[in-house]
Amino acid sequence: MSKRYSILAFLLTLLMVSPFSIKASGESDKEENENLDVKEIIFEHLGDGYGWEVPFSHVYRIPLPVIVRAEDGKWFCFSSDGLTDVVVIKDEKTGKEKKELIPVVKTIERDGRKYQFVIAHVSTHKDKIVQIFPLSEAEETEVMAKAADIRKSSNVNEGDPVVDGYVYVHGHGDTDGYYYREYRPLDISITKNVLALFIAAILVTTIVMSLVRYYRRRGLRAPRKGMGFFELLVSFVYYDTIKSTLGTGARKFGPYLLTCFFFILTMNLVGLIVIFPGGANLTGNIAVTLVLAVMTFIVTNIFGTKHYWKEIFWPDVPIWLKCPLPIMQLIEVFGIFTKPAALCVRLFANMMGGHIIVITLTLLIFIFAAFGAAVAGGATVISVLFTLFMLALDVLVSFIQAYVFTLLSALFIAMAQEKGEEHKIREDSTYDGIERKDREELATEEESLANVAREIDSVKV
């Protein structure tokens, strides 16, 4: 135990000392920390991208395939490495050099024509790939006039304003920046989030098939270690959540609901990993959670019973609430869409909030570094401890949010499976019969296992 305390004390001392050594570089670091754009850093980490960050580097990217359809209908596929470049920028005051990742124009020649693409920054399509076209002198004069009007109306003298329909491409070195006419192409590129979705799907499929192969090889023998924990989760979600909610419909909807649980759980946990293949904020992307919610919406309403639709369009309420003004019908139809919306926003907000808190706590180290070495040392220790606590809490939240999404989806599906009182009595008797049959099969299996055990004991004797 004393050895553990010694290691912990050493780590805390290291955290306290490191800011002092960092701040020995002088006032330039203070100026850099004071100009730290926290909002930009947070959304850069949480957003999608055309490259995957190299571990422990904010400059270099793992290139990904870009697939876009140009304005004239031609398709282009190229590496995202050609859309960015790493340049060394020298500070004239301090003489220090630092590397920065800048967007560059990707030019492709085909059939005697040049096609140019760039990642837009000063544009209505910020951080998306756009096709650009040079302007004539008259168009350039008109665009510059619009930019000047926007600058005056917004009272901003610095920076380049966003002009609708045009993108401003910054120059590098002695080259000035220019406005170009932009066209947002059809973009089906393999971005960071798309690749992370593939990785999560492969992980879930691999784990599930490993458990299937285990049971094929070893029969009913219970697995241990990792496979045992996975089987525990499957049993918990299926028997305690899906079957208890859906009854006889558990076998029909169980595969979909189990897939939702493990897919969301995998995306949540992989998103907490800092380095590749982790780091993608999938469930903190509302587009991903929206698709999951829409899938539940489709399953719920396609397999809805006649009684379910009857209660929506002619509910069992006083006649004056549904005729001549369809008050209850409007409320019920509105409720059809609010349920998946709640699923979407709940998962998105909780996971996005967790990532923002962790990144903000980490950035406190650099924010407080501008106040001196002593403050930076204390802030470093506090930030690291709180960050570790939030990461542990996020692991718990990852399980909870996957379970809540599955539970609510099972409840919505169960509500759509209502069949009225007569059908319910018949269904209960059928369910009792199935339960009785399951108990008989279980008793038969137990008896056969007992016979095998007796035979083994007789052989040993």
Side-chain angles (χ1 to χ4, degrees):
M1 185 65 68
S2 59
K3 185 177 181 181
R4 294 181 180 177
Y5 285 131
S6 301
I7 295 173
L8 181 61
F10 172 75
L11 293 175
L12 291 177
T13 305
L14 183 63
L15 292 173
M16 291 289 290
V17 172
S18 59
F20 289 86
S21 61
I22 293 173
K23 298 313 295 176
S25 57
E27 295 297 325
S28 61
D29 290 335
K30 290 185 178 181
E31 294 178 0
E32 183 178 348
N33 291 321
E34 289 174 355
N35 297 326
L36 193 67
D37 192 343
V38 176
K39 180 180 177 181
E40 184 69 22
I41 293 174
I42 290 175
F43 284 99
E44 179 184 356
H45 282 77
L46 297 181
D48 199 0
Y50 292 95
W52 204 308
E53 295 87 352
V54 174
F56 311 109
S57 174
H58 294 289
V59 177
Y60 297 100
R61 299 286 190 271
I62 300 174
L64 298 174
V66 176
I67 308 171
V68 291
R69 183 177 182 270
E71 190 178 36
D72 60 0
K74 293 182 179 179
W75 287 92
F76 294 87
C77 181
F78 53 89
S79 172
S80 62
D81 189 45
L83 294 168
T84 56
D85 191 16
V86 178
V87 297
V88 178
I89 299 177
K90 186 175 183 180
D91 192 339
E92 296 180 355
K93 294 182 180 179
T94 62
K96 296 179 66 176
E97 295 182 346
K98 63 177 182 178
K99 294 180 179 180
E100 284 191 4
L101 186 70
I102 59 173
V104 295
V105 178
K106 173 71 174 180
T107 303
I108 301 175
E109 293 189 7
R110 182 185 293 181
D111 300 331
R113 182 180 176 183
K114 286 186 178 181
Y115 296 85
Q116 293 183 308
F117 302 92
V118 69
I119 299 177
H121 286 309
V122 183
S123 166
T124 53
H125 303 293
K126 182 176 172 58
D127 296 331
K128 302 296 182 182
I129 292 179
V130 296
Q131 185 181 0
I132 59 175
F133 303 90
L135 302 178
S136 63
E137 292 185 3
E139 289 176 325
E140 186 175 357
T141 303
E142 182 181 355
V143 171
M144 296 305 293
K146 289 181 180 179
D149 293 338
I150 296 172
R151 205 178 278 116
K152 289 179 182 178
S153 60
S154 58
N155 296 322
V156 177
N157 295 324
E158 297 181 358
D160 302 294
V162 176
V163 181
D164 190 25
Y166 299 89
V167 57
Y168 184 83
V169 179
H170 291 91
H172 308 294
D174 298 331
T175 306
D176 296 330
Y178 294 98
Y179 276 101
Y180 295 85
R181 181 176 70 83
E182 68 175 358
Y183 169 75
R184 178 77 172 100
L186 178 61
D187 190 353
I188 56 172
S189 304
I190 307 298
T191 61
K192 176 181 176 181
N193 282 349
V194 174
L195 181 58
L197 282 171
F198 291 156
I199 293 173
I202 292 172
L203 285 175
V204 173
T205 304
T206 302
I207 295 173
V208 171
M209 296 310 296
S210 298
L211 186 62
V212 172
R213 286 195 299 269
Y214 177 90
Y215 279 116
R216 284 179 178 175
R217 290 196 309 266
R218 304 195 179 186
L220 296 177
R221 184 178 177 182
R224 297 180 180 274
K225 298 182 180 179
M227 284 293 101
F229 179 71
F230 181 72
E231 185 198 30
L232 174 67
L233 287 178
V234 173
S235 300
F236 168 70
V237 175
Y238 182 76
Y239 290 105
D240 294 349
T241 303
I242 299 174
K243 193 169 185 179
S244 62
T245 303
L246 289 168
T248 55
R251 291 191 176 184
K252 182 177 181 181
F253 300 102
Y256 166 71
L257 294 171
L258 285 170
T259 301
C260 284
F261 176 80
F262 287 105
F263 189 53
I264 294 173
L265 178 61
T266 303
M267 289 191 293
N268 291 344
L269 295 179
V270 170
L272 297 178
I273 302 174
V274 179
I275 61 175
F276 182 85
N281 182 32
L282 287 177
T283 46
N285 187 329
I286 198 167
V288 176
T289 59
L290 177 62
V291 171
L292 292 171
V294 168
M295 294 302 296
T296 296
F297 171 79
I298 293 173
V299 171
T300 301
N301 291 281
I302 284 182
F303 295 98
T305 61
K306 294 180 180 180
H307 181 76
Y308 167 74
W309 289 108
K310 180 259 179 187
E311 287 297 320
I312 290 176
F313 293 107
W314 196 255
D316 189 14
V317 295
I319 191 67
W320 58 272
L321 288 174
K322 53 188 177 183
C323 184
L325 293 177
I327 299 174
M328 289 303 300
Q329 289 91 329
L330 291 176
I331 294 174
E332 293 292 340
V333 171
F334 183 71
I336 294 176
F337 298 96
T338 56
K339 292 171 186 174
L343 286 176
C344 170
V345 175
R346 182 191 301 272
L347 180 59
F348 161 73
N350 281 281
M351 299 313 301
M352 171 69 85
H355 284 276
I356 290 177
I357 291 173
V358 171
I359 297 174
T360 304
L361 289 172
T362 305
L363 289 176
L364 287 178
I365 300 172
F366 304 96
I367 295 173
F368 282 102
F371 295 95
V375 177
T380 300
V381 175
I382 296 173
S383 296
V384 169
L385 292 178
F386 271 102
T387 300
L388 293 176
F389 170 75
M390 284 305 304
L391 283 173
L393 186 61
D394 274 346
V395 173
L396 177 62
V397 171
S398 298
F399 281 89
I400 293 174
Q401 290 304 315
Y403 177 75
V404 169
F405 188 96
T406 307
L407 175 62
L408 291 177
S409 297
L411 288 173
F412 296 155
I413 294 172
M415 292 168 61
Q417 297 300 303
E418 289 292 333
K419 298 179 180 179
E421 292 298 329
E422 296 180 0
H423 290 84
K424 189 174 182 181
I425 295 173
R426 191 181 309 154
E427 183 177 316
D428 289 341
S429 62
T430 304
Y431 182 73
D432 292 338
I434 293 174
E435 287 290 322
R436 194 181 306 109
K437 185 178 179 181
D438 289 342
R439 287 195 296 269
E440 292 174 356
E441 290 179 355
L442 181 61
T444 304
E445 291 177 359
E446 290 178 351
E447 185 178 355
S448 62
L449 290 174
N451 293 332
V452 171
R454 284 193 293 269
E455 291 178 1
I456 293 174
D457 291 337
S458 63
V459 171
K460 289 182 179 178
V461 173

